[in-house]
Amino acid sequence: LEQLLDGVRSGSALVGRSPVMRRLQAVLSRAADCDATMLIEGPTGSGKSLAARVVHCKSRRAGKGLLVADSAALDAESLSSSLDDARGTTLVLENIERLPTAAQSVLVRHLKDRSSSRGDGLPRLIATTSAHLPELVARGAFREDLYYRLNAFPMVMPALRERTEDIAAIAEAVLSAGAAQNGRVPTGFTPAALMLLEAMPWPGNVAQLEMVVRRAQALAGGLAIDRDHLITQTATPATGPVATNSTATARHGEPDQEIPEAAIRPF
C-alpha cells in the first residue's frame, strides 16, 4: 500500500518513459503546483482519473482526502453539496460531459464566484472527459461558458497507440502487481508475446491492456506468458480479430462492452 501511494504521489504510477509520457509528467507537476481548474481530456481507459489523483497527491492539498463524483449522478443539489464537502481539498468530476443542465448552471455560478474570491477553503476542481466538448457546445448540449471556465488548465491523456514504446513496461508492471497480490514471483513474457502486445491497436488503451495481461497471467498458470495465452483474447469490438505474423488470428470470447475508466489501477 505504501508503494502504491508513493507511486501516485511521485507520478510514477503512470508507467512509461516515452517522450509523450515525460512531457505529461512535467505537466502534472506544474498542475500540482497551482490551484487552477483543470480539464483532463483523453480516450476511455487512458488514465484520466489516475492523472487527477496524481495531481492531488503531489499538491499542497494532499493531506486531505480526494473527493470523486460521477457527473451523470449529480443534480443541482448534490453538486452543491459536493462542492461544500470538498472545501480545502480536490473534487474530481468524472465524465463532465454528462453533467445535467441544471447542475451545469450551479457549476458556472460557483466558478464565477471563485474567480473573485481567495482563500484556502475553496475546492480545487478537476474535470475529466472522453468527449469532444467543443462539439457538444456547438450542438447546445454543453454550456460554452462552462467549457471555457473548466479549460483554465487543459491536459490531454495520450492514447496507448501514441506511446507503443511504453506497452512492454506497462504489461510488466501489471504482471508484477498481479503476482504480488497472489504472493508469487512474476514470470515475465516471451519475446513473441511482447511483439504481439506491441502490434495491437488497443482501442481500450491501458485499461484494456491491463485486463488482457491479467487474463493471460491466469491462463499461463505460473509459466512465462506466451503469444498463445494472448491470442484467444486480444481481439477488440472496434477492430475484430487482430492479425499476427502468422496466419493465426485473435478471437475475443466475451460480448462487446465498453471498458470503464474505473478499470484502471495504479501500478
Side-chain angles (χ1 to χ4, degrees), residues 14-247:
L14 288 164
V15 176
R17 296 299 302 165
S18 61
V20 67
M21 286 304 292
R22 289 198 295 270
R23 290 194 296 271
L24 180 64
Q25 294 286 0
V27 172
L28 289 172
S29 294
R30 290 198 298 272
D33 289 339
C34 71
D35 286 331
T37 300
M38 286 189 70
L39 178 63
I40 303 179
E41 302 173 273
T44 299
S46 58
K48 298 182 295 295
S49 293
L50 178 55
R53 284 163 171 78
V54 168
V55 170
H56 172 73
C57 289
K58 289 167 71 79
S59 75
R60 63 183 178 84
R61 302 172 186 267
K64 297 186 178 182
L66 175 70
L67 296 184
V68 181
D70 182 358
S71 298
L74 295 174
D75 56 20
E77 183 178 351
S78 58
L79 176 59
S80 295
S81 178
S82 295
L83 290 168
D84 287 337
D85 292 342
R87 292 184 66 83
T89 187
T90 304
L91 174 62
V92 179
L93 298 175
E94 297 186 328
N95 306 309
I96 193 66
E97 75 278 4
R98 300 179 185 175
L99 191 67
T101 302
Q104 290 185 35
S105 299
V106 169
L107 189 54
V108 168
R109 187 163 59 251
H110 170 82
L111 292 173
K112 284 182 178 178
D113 291 343
R114 72 180 289 136
S115 65
S116 59
S117 303
R118 295 292 183 270
D120 293 337
L122 295 174
R124 169 78 181 275
L125 292 179
I126 302 178
T128 71
T129 183
S130 299
H132 185 54
L133 291 184
E135 180 180 335
L136 296 183
V137 168
R139 299 206 316 258
F142 197 84
R143 290 184 57 142
E144 184 175 18
D145 53 352
L146 177 55
Y147 169 65
Y148 288 120
R149 290 183 181 276
L150 290 173
N151 209 31
F153 194 120
M155 190 180 80
V156 179
M157 293 297 295
L160 191 54
R161 65 178 178 273
E162 297 175 46
R163 53 187 189 109
T164 55
E165 58 266 58
D166 291 334
I167 289 176
I170 296 171
E172 293 284 1
V174 174
L175 190 62
S176 296
Q181 289 174 359
N182 297 311
R184 299 176 180 173
V185 177
T187 53
F189 297 83
T190 66
L194 290 176
M195 287 180 61
L196 178 59
L197 290 175
E198 292 175 347
M200 289 186 59
W202 298 113
N205 297 291
V206 177
Q208 182 189 12
L209 174 59
E210 178 185 0
M211 284 191 270
V212 166
V213 170
R214 291 192 182 278
R215 291 170 185 160
Q217 189 173 24
L219 290 173
L223 301 175
I225 293 177
D226 198 3
R227 60 184 294 116
D228 290 341
H229 301 125
L230 299 166
I231 205 166
T232 59
Q233 55 164 331
T234 49
T236 66
T239 60
V242 176
T244 65
N245 303 8
S246 65
T247 57

